[in-house]
Amino acid sequence: MNRRTKTVVLCCALLLLTAGTVGPVATATDGPQQREAAALTGTAKLYRSAGDDITFSFDAHLAAKDTADPTKATGTFEFSHYLGDWGAWAKAEVDCLVTGGKVAVVSGVITDSDLPGAEGKRVGVTVHDVGRHDRLGYSWAATGRPGAGNEPPECVSSAPFEKVRKGTGDFTVVPWQPEL
């Protein structure tokens, strides 16, 4: 190994060693160390014995400065459901994120979809992050498909009744700790 390669390897090793112990960097204007108030990230496919291809992806965050107001959450989530030639997809902009322990409820308004009448409608999704056996639920289980049924209010979904297909769940929930 040449000197430049050794230096790069050493620097990378030092970064990896310190990344888990140092935590987020705070600046002089941050005051006490800041962290994200809540988050839901990851992608998984749902299990269906008929072979449906159902995927959910999340990138939802609540900034530390907005801890008291989960409706200030930002990000997006997407979902799709296909079986043979039938199916649809949608993308929603997050309008609320509430988490507790390893459970997250996210809601959002659909901004893009090939499902007729879905754009502009709110939907909610619940995730239970239990490692390799994550579970998921969605508001349209009770309200009718997006665009054809009733809309839930912000921060509302159903219990996580669906099973994630083995080997696909990588949801991560950052628990919300509001100041009460």
Side-chain angles (χ1 to χ4, degrees):
M1 235 188 297
N2 67 32
R3 186 174 184 188
R4 177 178 279 161
T5 304
K6 288 178 185 177
T7 302
V8 169
V9 169
L10 178 60
C11 288
C12 289
L14 287 172
L15 282 172
L16 288 172
L17 286 173
T18 60
T21 58
V22 174
V25 176
T27 66
T29 59
D30 286 341
Q33 202 169 33
Q34 298 291 307
R35 71 165 189 86
E36 204 167 43
L40 169 59
T41 57
T43 299
K45 291 184 173 287
L46 298 187
Y47 171 77
R48 289 283 175 87
S49 60
D52 301 44
D53 182 6
I54 305 169
T55 305
F56 282 82
S57 296
F58 302 93
D59 187 20
H61 305 271
L62 180 64
K65 67 181 180 66
D66 296 322
T67 296
D69 188 357
T71 64
K72 298 234 173 157
T74 61
T76 60
F77 59 94
E78 299 179 35
F79 52 93
S80 62
H81 185 168
Y82 293 98
L83 182 59
D85 293 338
W86 174 90
W89 62 270
K91 181 176 183 175
E93 185 161 329
V94 171
D95 65 9
C96 185
L97 174 65
V98 178
T99 65
K102 293 293 188 172
V103 176
V105 176
V106 63
S107 63
V109 176
I110 295 174
T111 57
D112 198 11
S113 179
D114 62 355
L115 187 60
E119 285 185 41
K121 303 297 183 184
R122 178 177 292 109
V123 293
V125 183
T126 304
V127 168
H128 188 191
D129 174 17
V130 287
R132 291 185 265 174
H133 304 289
D134 292 345
R135 297 182 71 88
L136 188 139
Y138 37 84
S139 59
W140 55 96
T143 62
R145 76 163 180 81
N150 297 316
E151 292 179 67
E154 292 174 330
C155 306
V156 174
S157 185
S158 71
F161 61 93
E162 293 268 17
K163 293 178 183 177
V164 170
R165 187 181 305 163
K166 186 176 180 180
T168 70
D170 72 345
F171 296 134
T172 301
V173 174
V174 173
W176 182 46
Q177 297 174 357
E179 297 172 11
L180 302 174

